[in-house]
Structures are given as structure tokens and as C-alpha cells.
Amino acid sequence: PYLASPPAVIDVSLGRQLWVEDFLVASANATRRFHSGSYHPDNPRIKPAAPGLTAFPFSGGVWYDEAAQLFKLWYSCGGLEETGVTCLVTSRDGVSWDKPSLSPAANQPNLVAGANSSALCNVVWLDHATTDASARYKLVEMHATADFDKTYMGAYRLYGSADGTNFTLRSQPQGPAGDRSTAFHNPFRDKWVLSLKYTGGKMIPARKLWTDGAAGRSRAYWETDDLFDAPSWSGWEPPTTDAGSP
């Protein structure tokens, strides 16, 4: 709806943008140039803590915390079957990263407290606008339900944290939604958005695969003013679905 009927003037000062969409620019005399990135010679900068563990982004997130004067990065640090196990590293310059001591685990001292090991994925968001100091950081976890192996459906769990190291559950599971569902804040509309993986087909239990249905593999979009007060829904009918790859 926003793209179909945008306001006459769009305020672009509401949030930082990595990419500027053409529809936001009324006119310009700049020359468009594309630059290729290059790998740091000492890659990988963050390595698994022990054999059998991982160190890769599975949603997660990276933010600069002005209060702490640190970059903070959350990543998946469990095994390949434990993608919801989350660790934190910090950096002064975004290049050299340190593992803070957050956990008594001998080989994973930087384990984030509160993240659930049965989670499918999660995303961490630094909420600059909140007045709740205990929820500056919001963790949106896609939790595997008991019948996940049969349905591939999970449910949202929403957490808050003052500093991104110790998260407290702030809402009951909401859903259902597919395994690769996340959330983000849209600063232009000042809305929290649940980005749901949606498959409109039926499950083939023997193969653990979805058949193509009316929607195929799609994204569903749900907006809410308060992330911790996001409505739940029953059944497997998310509110608004746009066709596309998850």
C-alpha cells in the first residue's frame, strides 16, 4: 500500500539507509557508481570455538551501540542442528572482535543468556526509540514447536535486554509461522513488521517437504505498533501474503 500510494513528500530522515531506492529520489545530478567489496586478508574474523561448533550469521544482527561505544554482533554458534544457539562478539573498530565473558560454558564463554537452543533462528534489533531501558535490544526468536518435524511450523518468542547480553522473555509464543521468519522495524511508518515465511501447500510427512499450494513459498507481512503486544493468529492463515522467495 505504501508503494502504491506514497505521500507527496517522504521524510527520509527517520532512519538510516544502506541502500536508497529510486522512488525516494525526486531528482539528482549525481553519477551512479557501483563498488565491489574485498575480503579482509585475515578472514575469517570470527571462528568456531571448537570442532563441531559453528560461527555464522543465521539472521542474528550487528549494531553499533553508542552508549557502550562498541559494535555488537550476534551469530549462530551451536552445531549445524542447533542454529538457535546464539553468541555475541564486540569490537571497537568493526574489524577485530572480542568474545566477552557471559557464560560459564568453558568453550562458549560468549553465549547469550535467554536465547533458546531449540530456536530455528533469531534476529536482534537495537531499538533507538524505546523508553524502556530494559528492552533497548529486542530479540525475535523463531521457536521450534513440538510438532515441527511434521509441520515445519514454529512460533515467535519475543525477548528484551538492556545491553544485548541477557534476554528476558516478554511475550508468549505467537504464530504459527515458517522456520525462516524474522522481524524488523520500519522507521518510515514507525511500525514493527513480522516477516513470516508462508507455504500455502500441504506437508508430505515422509519427505518433510511442502507441496506447492496457492501461495507456494512466500512471505507474509504483519505490522504492529508494539512488538511485545503483537497479535497472534490461529490456524495457518497469515494476514497478508506477497508471492516471492522466503
Side-chain angles (χ1 to χ4, degrees), residues 213-232:
R217 293 167 64 91
S218 310
R219 301 305 294 185
Y221 182 100
W222 195 319
E223 289 184 344
T224 180
D225 293 327
D226 183 348
L227 181 64
F228 293 148
D229 193 33
S232 189

Side-chain angles (χ1 to χ4, degrees), residues 192-216:
W192 289 94
V193 179
L194 304 183
S195 176
L196 313 172
K197 179 183 175 182
Y198 171 61
T199 305
K202 295 182 178 180
M203 190 68 174
I204 306 175
R207 297 181 59 199
K208 294 185 179 180
L209 294 173
W210 286 94
T211 61
D212 287 335

Side-chain angles (χ1 to χ4, degrees), residues 14 30 79 110 141 227:
L14 300 176
N110 58 327
E141 175 187 275
L227 181 64

Side-chain angles (χ1 to χ4, degrees), residues 153-174:
M153 293 192 297
Y156 280 102
R157 283 185 175 178
L158 308 175
Y159 298 78
S161 173
D163 58 8
T165 65
N166 191 340
F167 288 89
T168 302
L169 184 66
R170 298 290 292 266
S171 78
Q172 295 303 309
Q174 299 163 322

Side-chain angles (χ1 to χ4, degrees), residues 5-85:
S5 301
V9 177
I10 302 173
D11 186 354
V12 297
S13 67
L14 300 176
R16 301 173 181 175
Q17 298 183 69
L18 179 60
W19 311 110
V20 179
E21 299 287 353
D22 287 342
F23 82 92
L24 293 174
V25 181
S27 62
N29 58 5
T31 300
R32 187 188 297 265
R33 294 180 180 176
F34 298 93
H35 301 274
S36 299
S38 58
Y39 285 101
H40 192 281
D42 294 332
N43 268 326
R45 304 299 295 156
I46 303 169
K47 301 177 182 180
L53 299 178
T54 59
F56 66 94
F58 205 64
S59 292
V62 57
W63 294 93
Y64 182 71
D65 189 327
E66 290 89 348
Q69 297 287 292
L70 286 173
F71 290 97
K72 296 182 177 182
L73 184 152
W74 295 261
Y75 65 97
S76 176
C77 57
L80 292 177
E81 301 299 323
E82 297 177 303
T83 53
V85 179

Side-chain angles (χ1 to χ4, degrees), residues 13-16 63-64 66 125-138 185-192 225-228:
S13 67
L14 300 176
R16 301 173 181 175
W63 294 93
Y64 182 71
E66 290 89 348
W125 201 271
L126 175 55
D127 186 356
H128 292 281
T130 187
T131 57
D132 182 353
S134 67
R136 290 179 62 238
Y137 285 93
K138 293 173 169 60
H185 182 257
N186 183 338
F188 299 103
R189 293 174 52 79
D190 193 21
K191 299 284 187 180
W192 289 94
D225 293 327
D226 183 348
L227 181 64
F228 293 148

